[in-house]
Amino acid sequence: MKTRKWMSGLSVAALALAIAVSLPVSAKAEEIPNGIYVGDYNLGGMTQEEAKQKVEDYIDSLAKQKITLDVGGSLIETDASSLGFHWSNTDAVGEAVGTYQDANLIKRYMNAKDLEKNPLHIELETSMDQTKIAAFVDQECSSLTLEAKDATITRENGKFVVTPSVTGQQVDIEATKQVLDQALSGGLNEPIQVAAVVVLDQPTKTTEALSLIQDVLGTFSTDFSSSGASRATNLRVGSSKINGHLLMPGETLSGYECMQPFTTQNGYATAAAYENGQVVDSVGGGVCQIATTLYNAALLAEMEITQRQNHSMIVTYVKPSNDAAIAGTYKDIKITNPYESPIYVAGSTSGRTLNFTIYGKESRPANRTIKYVSETLSTTEPGAPVTKVDRTLAPGAKVREQSAHRGLKSRLWKYVYVDGVETEKEILHTDTYNPAPAVYRVGPPGAAPVPTPAPVPTAPATPTPTLPAETAPTEAPAGSAGGPGVQGPAATAPAPAPTPAPAPTPAPAP
């Protein structure tokens, strides 16, 4: 039994010695056995320190790999190192090699044999610095961001001029970073090119849309020939602030928002306006005629009338129920574009005529026509004139401040015809206008009459000798120099009467 054990122990030792003699150098404890690879590199025969350095050199070579980011056709180049590329599982080689090194001689021999048949490929894990990637994408892509630019339209010499729109582009930073991460995770054995995620930013007003504006959808004019210079100024200034306004489908124009503030600094003058049933002076007075003219043009263009109120009293430049008033935001004219194409509003004054024209793309049938009819339902008389004393006027002077206005109730009808045959009929609105009497300003009462001085007696006339009949003068007319019933030679004048005392100066009027 003892002999057997010895022999057995001897056999093991001999076998170990034989194996040690037959092992290649690379299978020794301090060296990595053949068959362990990192990438294309065989680490066999290296120490762990040598293998680590070899892997680091390999990572450095990958870090120099070119990376190209394509942003809408613009190529931006960098390298992996600039994006923070690094070896993240640095312990992987040591752990893998240790499995084959930290064993007894026989085990290492067996491991070496296994590696000859089945080489070990250590997966290197690399990472990118997410902060550097985000900074790169943000910095490089931001400079290539293009803001969308709307087309513009103006009317010059009776024609429309459209400035082209520009399509913008925005880079989706987060999505682009994810695409770059995914590409880098596939390795850096060859150059990488990644397309940035670009989102096109379409302009709101495109060249194509604005180019559709060619047709007159509705036009209306009112006369202001009886207006003073201040009111004419207000109509010119106010209409210019609406002129050129563009309405995309569904957009609304507010007359008040376009024209306000009604101040002298904004170009307006003081003129007459309605306020609480009276005519008063107001900065911007008369702009209600702008609202009215725009309203009627919008009716003919069949715009959507979002807001409209009538005046408190009737106006003379349109029929009842065809008017529109402006009073802050309480009374406003608002029109909305109901079409699928843009609307252009043109407003101006020429001479003493105010005009608004609404342009767009005509989509209504050619055989369809419309008509608006004002119907008066009842009237109310204005009542007796009202006078008020104005001490700045001369006594007895009289100036009309406000004309009389009949009260009135009316409504506006819309008729639609196809081939001249009525197909639709509707009441748009019913309005009530207040009566108002004429108002006059009169001067104060006249001064008290001045008392007439008492007559002064005259001296008796000197007797005149009788002359022959043929030479007797004729009777002087009453009121002549000689006085009534007085006879005498034409050359003889009565004694002059004493000069009467001067009349007292009247007192000033109260």
Side-chain angles (χ1 to χ4, degrees), residues 210-509:
L210 268 56
S211 296
L212 296 175
I213 301 174
Q214 295 294 334
D215 305 317
V216 174
L217 304 184
T219 184
F220 195 82
S221 299
T222 56
D223 178 78
F224 60 95
S225 56
S226 62
S227 298
S230 294
R231 192 173 187 277
T233 294
N234 293 338
L235 296 184
R236 175 181 55 80
V237 171
S239 61
S240 69
K241 295 181 183 300
I242 298 177
N243 180 53
H245 201 95
L246 189 68
L247 287 178
M248 299 304 290
E251 289 185 345
T252 298
L253 179 152
S254 162
Y256 174 78
E257 291 298 328
C258 289
M259 294 189 287
Q260 62 89 32
F262 297 106
T263 62
T264 54
Q265 291 83 358
N266 201 24
Y268 293 103
T270 300
Y274 287 162
E275 182 178 310
N276 299 323
Q278 295 182 337
V279 178
V280 298
D281 284 337
S282 173
V283 177
V287 296
C288 285
Q289 187 166 347
I290 295 175
T292 294
T293 310
L294 175 61
Y295 171 58
N296 283 271
L299 286 177
L300 294 172
E302 294 189 89
M303 302 279 283
E304 178 184 341
I305 308 302
T306 309
Q307 183 179 350
R308 171 265 171 193
Q309 288 91 13
N310 62 291
H311 288 79
S312 58
M313 298 184 293
I314 59 172
V315 296
T316 58
Y317 42 83
V318 290
K319 294 179 180 180
S321 287
N322 276 107
D323 64 311
I326 281 188
T329 56
Y330 168 67
K331 288 186 176 182
D332 193 6
I333 178 64
K334 292 182 180 179
I335 59 175
T336 300
N337 180 5
Y339 298 103
E340 295 180 357
S341 54
I343 292 296
Y344 181 94
V345 180
S348 63
T349 61
S350 178
R352 288 295 176 135
T353 299
L354 171 66
N355 176 266
F356 273 96
T357 301
I358 295 176
Y359 296 91
K361 177 179 173 57
E362 183 60 84
S363 58
R364 296 170 291 183
N367 63 340
R368 179 182 178 278
T369 57
I370 57 174
K371 182 174 69 172
Y372 296 93
V373 177
S374 168
E375 179 188 9
T376 297
L377 302 175
S378 63
T379 60
T380 305
E381 293 306 314
V386 174
T387 59
K388 53 185 182 181
V389 176
D390 184 347
R391 297 189 179 279
T392 64
L393 297 177
K398 185 177 183 180
V399 177
R400 187 175 67 181
E401 182 177 276
Q402 174 179 310
S403 300
H405 293 264
R406 285 189 307 165
L408 191 142
K409 185 173 183 180
S410 61
R411 60 187 178 188
L412 188 65
W413 290 86
K414 178 182 180 181
Y415 292 86
V416 179
Y417 304 89
V418 176
D419 292 325
V421 178
E422 181 184 311
T423 58
E424 297 177 42
K425 175 182 177 182
E426 65 172 319
I427 298 173
L428 297 186
H429 47 76
T430 301
D431 303 308
T432 299
Y433 301 88
N434 299 325
V439 177
Y440 292 91
R441 291 184 292 115
V442 298
V450 179
T452 303
V456 178
T458 60
T462 303
T464 303
T466 302
L467 298 177
E470 65 269 23
T471 61
T474 58
E475 178 177 324
S480 67
V486 177
Q487 295 180 345
T492 303
T499 303
T505 304

Side-chain angles (χ1 to χ4, degrees), residues 101-114:
Q101 287 183 323
D102 297 338
N104 57 40
L105 191 61
I106 296 176
K107 183 64 174 175
R108 291 202 305 275
Y109 175 78
M110 296 176 65
N111 287 339
K113 291 298 182 181
D114 287 342

